[in-house]
Amino acid sequence: MFFKRKVEETHECSICGSPKGGFHAVDGWICPMCMPLNRSLDRPTVDEIRSMHIKDEELMHRIESFRDSEVMADLHFDDEHGLFFKGPYPNRCIPVLSYSEISGYRIIVDGRSIAFNSVGGERSVMRVRTDDFIAKASKDITDITLEINSSRSNVTVRPYIIRSMKVRICDSKQDCLRFAMKVSDRFDSIIEENILDNNKSS
């Protein structure tokens, strides 16, 4: 991790001026709202951190209006405003998508798509969900990943790891598979609504 956290003290954020700057960059302090969650740089400067921020003002305004309706691990849904983001908390580096901009999703288990849906018409859902099926299907699972497609040209959503050798949302393989199915249902409902809206407008 490239940030040094000073839990006992806070400083003014070198980017937004918030008094909650508790992460130390090379030449300043960074608050949680400005701190990149993708910590790919080694000892970054304030300018390098600023360069990772979203430059789209509309996307930034969505963060301010976001209200959780449902939270599934780090997947946040705001049904009142029709907004979605992926991350532990709103952040200047995380794109907040409107539901209408979610053009597809895919649940990938060990490199194989087991459930997907898209506005373009590709669709496959997991219909068999008995405990016996889940027990058998999850026996040899190593990786489960969620991929989300955005119709917004300036937004790419990084894959979300549900289970891997290093990360796991749930304790057991069966529970991770159940979680993936629940996520699949949530995105299915959003995409089906988008398909209906597209059909109405055409």
Side-chain angles (χ1 to χ4, degrees):
M1 181 165 63
F2 62 54
F3 286 103
K4 201 172 180 181
R5 175 79 176 179
K6 295 274 189 180
V7 178
E8 69 279 0
E9 59 180 308
T10 57
H11 301 264
E12 186 175 293
C13 177
S14 301
I15 294 178
C16 72
S18 162
K20 298 179 180 177
F23 295 88
H24 196 196
V26 169
D27 54 348
W29 294 88
I30 309 297
C31 73
M33 185 73 170
C34 292
M35 181 188 72
L37 298 176
N38 176 25
R39 304 170 182 182
S40 58
L41 294 176
D42 183 33
R43 300 285 296 151
T45 65
V46 169
D47 282 342
E48 286 172 327
I49 293 166
R50 190 182 285 113
S51 73
M52 298 180 194
H53 287 186
I54 295 167
K55 305 302 187 290
D56 189 319
E57 284 301 316
E58 182 186 350
L59 292 179
M60 289 305 302
H61 288 308
R62 292 176 184 181
I63 289 176
E64 296 166 12
S65 65
F66 198 98
R67 301 290 179 269
D68 282 320
S69 300
E70 182 177 12
V71 180
M72 302 165 68
D74 282 346
L75 306 175
H76 296 253
F77 300 87
D78 176 354
D79 292 333
E80 180 184 348
H81 301 103
L83 299 173
F84 164 80
F85 83 89
K86 175 181 71 70
Y89 45 78
N91 185 282
R92 288 187 169 85
C93 299
I94 299 174
V96 178
L97 293 174
S98 75
Y99 287 174
S100 63
E101 293 166 349
I102 299 173
S103 59
Y105 84 92
R106 194 171 295 270
I107 300 287
I108 300 172
V109 175
D110 295 335
R112 186 172 62 93
S113 297
I114 63 165
F116 52 88
N117 200 348
S118 72
V119 174
E122 295 181 344
R123 186 162 201 256
S124 175
V125 296
M126 292 189 68
R127 299 194 183 281
V128 182
R129 300 189 177 197
T130 63
D131 288 341
D132 186 50
F133 171 79
I134 291 171
K136 288 177 182 174
S138 61
K139 188 176 179 182
D140 299 319
I141 285 176
T142 303
D143 302 311
I144 305 176
T145 305
L146 165 69
E147 292 182 353
I148 300 165
N149 297 329
S150 164
S151 63
R152 196 178 182 97
S153 60
N154 64 336
V155 170
T156 301
V157 184
R158 294 168 59 87
Y160 181 62
I161 306 300
I162 295 173
R163 184 179 180 89
S164 71
M165 297 297 286
K166 296 180 180 178
V167 177
R168 58 184 65 176
I169 295 301
C170 306
D171 289 334
S172 72
K173 293 180 180 182
Q174 291 184 33
D175 286 342
C176 282
L177 186 57
R178 285 191 180 93
F179 177 86
M181 291 174 175
K182 187 178 174 186
V183 168
S184 172
D185 290 342
R186 191 64 160 98
F187 280 102
D188 275 333
S189 66
I190 291 171
I191 290 167
E192 290 301 319
E193 188 67 32
N194 289 344
I195 292 170
L196 280 175
D197 289 344
N198 283 356
N199 290 341
K200 285 176 188 175
S201 62
S202 61

